[in-house]
Amino acid sequence: MNRPANPLAPRRALPEKARQVKAWVRELHGLGEDVVVSVTELACRDDGCPEVETVIGIMRAGQKVETLRIHRSLAEVLREDLPAPAAKARPS
Amino acid sequence: MPIPTPVQTPVTVFTGYLGAGKTTLLNRILSEQHGKKYAVIVNEFGEVGIDNDLIVDADEEVFEMNNGCICCTVRGDLIRIIDGLMRRKDRFDAILVETTGLADPAPVAQTFFVDDEVRLKTRLDAIVTVVDAKHLPGEIERAHEAQEQLAFADIVILNKADLVSEAELKAVEARIRKINPTASIRRSTRCDVPLDEVLDRGAFDLDRVLEIEPHFLEEEHEHEHDDHVTSFSLVSDVPLDPRRFLPWIEQTTQHFGIDMLRMKGIVAFPGDDDRFVVQAVHMLLEGGHQRAWRSDERRVSRLVFIGRDLPRDIIEAGFLKCRSDPQRDAENSGPADGRWTPA
């Protein structure tokens, strides 16, 4: 029998693209090998959330995870979508 | 040339209250003569440790990817640790994760479904909840965490079975079943369970989901109780129309996902000889065709929901509307929506 596209099929992983985005983030933020970067395509079904977004976590040891959000699917993310690193606060 | 599929290291998560026997079970797994090498992620050094295996300390750092939405919350420490494990030259046969007695199992489980590299290199094998047969009834009454750890379990190790009577064991098993009718329960004394009943279970593998519980389709799971976490099953002897069922289960998961801890089901579609299985952890919903229905098997659709105060009446009403109706289907046959065309 013919079957429709299965909307519940496990999401196809894009490890190559995830690796590429991680490399861009590392370069842009000047991150060392000790910093872990996580890239996730999120399809949060919660009200008010975009249908799909790419969430990037920058995990520095002993610090709160820095989160970057891009309102595109992982496949669509371009280098120029990545926000520049926030300017470091100057001591007053 | 086909791209080789990377070997996914299985991950088993151990939950349970302090003193239930998680560390005993871990030590038992590590000390058996199996010739395998494990990476063990623990909360405190010192209690677990065998030569040849790697012990890593976790700090339970929660990573909220979406401002507090529990469905988008993972464990940052686990992502960090697994990233480190995967960079190592030495390989492990499996990763064992021990959580603290009060840890929420959801972010732990969800960690293995989000980051693409983590998903590529690891697979969540099963959640094993270790409980103390003597103290569990009191813990269930007192603490939501105890109920939620049972709700998430694929396997419940009912430990310290030697400390209670057979009647008490049966009562506590019935209590566990009320909260989680799909988990397999194994009685143990000092966690003396065969390793193959704990490891490599494939509980999250769509090809094997519910194979752990062979009586899933035959058992009745109707219970009356007033727990914080409850379960109920919905059953239909009439095949479900995929054009109705698939969007309905997506919407139901979206709407009630925050309180829906786990959901599993087997569905029969009309004219389809293969079983369709679904499973969810909160809003993380997956489904797909599994093996064919056997000739001696009743093609019954059954979904089991485990969650916090889920509105059974609303969910059941929606489920019943998914039943196929030959007359209606004939009227709507053909490329009405172009999504499902039985041969």
Side-chain angles (χ1 to χ4, degrees), chain A residues 1-15 18-19 22 26 33-42 44-47 49-50 53 55-67 69 74, chain B residues 61-67 69 72 75-76 79-80 83 87 113-117 119-121 206 242 245-246 249-250 253-254 258 270-274 276 278 283-289 339-343:
Chain A
M1 67 181 298
N2 296 321
R3 286 174 175 162
N6 175 10
L8 313 186
R11 186 173 61 83
R12 199 168 65 87
L14 294 170
R19 260 178 233 137
K22 288 178 186 183
R26 284 186 181 285
E33 285 298 303
D34 57 325
V35 179
V36 174
V37 179
S38 159
V39 173
T40 301
E41 184 181 281
L42 211 60
C44 181
R45 297 179 169 101
D46 217 358
D47 289 341
C49 288
E53 63 179 332
V55 180
I56 299 163
I58 302 177
M59 304 173 165
R60 299 177 178 88
Q63 292 184 34
K64 201 168 180 292
V65 180
E66 181 183 347
T67 310
R69 310 178 172 282
L74 176 57
Chain B
E61 173 198 13
V62 168
F63 174 21
E64 292 179 351
M65 292 189 292
N66 209 352
N67 301 327
C69 168
C72 304
R75 284 274 297 270
I79 293 178
R80 197 195 304 267
D83 182 88
R87 286 165 187 256
F113 290 92
V114 291
D115 185 280
D116 276 358
E117 278 198 279
R119 277 185 55 168
L120 189 74
K121 293 169 180 169
L206 283 177
F245 172 75
L246 294 171
I249 194 70
E250 281 193 291
T253 307
Q254 178 178 357
I258 287 174
D272 191 334
D273 288 333
D274 293 337
F276 190 86
V278 288
M283 292 180 192
L284 283 172
L285 170 67
E286 291 186 344
H289 280 90
R339 296 190 63 209
W340 192 267
T341 316

Side-chain angles (χ1 to χ4, degrees), chain B residues 50-70:
Chain B
I50 300 290
D51 295 344
N52 196 40
D53 297 298
L54 176 74
I55 315 292
V56 191
D57 194 18
D59 56 11
E60 290 209 58
E61 173 198 13
V62 168
F63 174 21
E64 292 179 351
M65 292 189 292
N66 209 352
N67 301 327
C69 168
I70 185 66

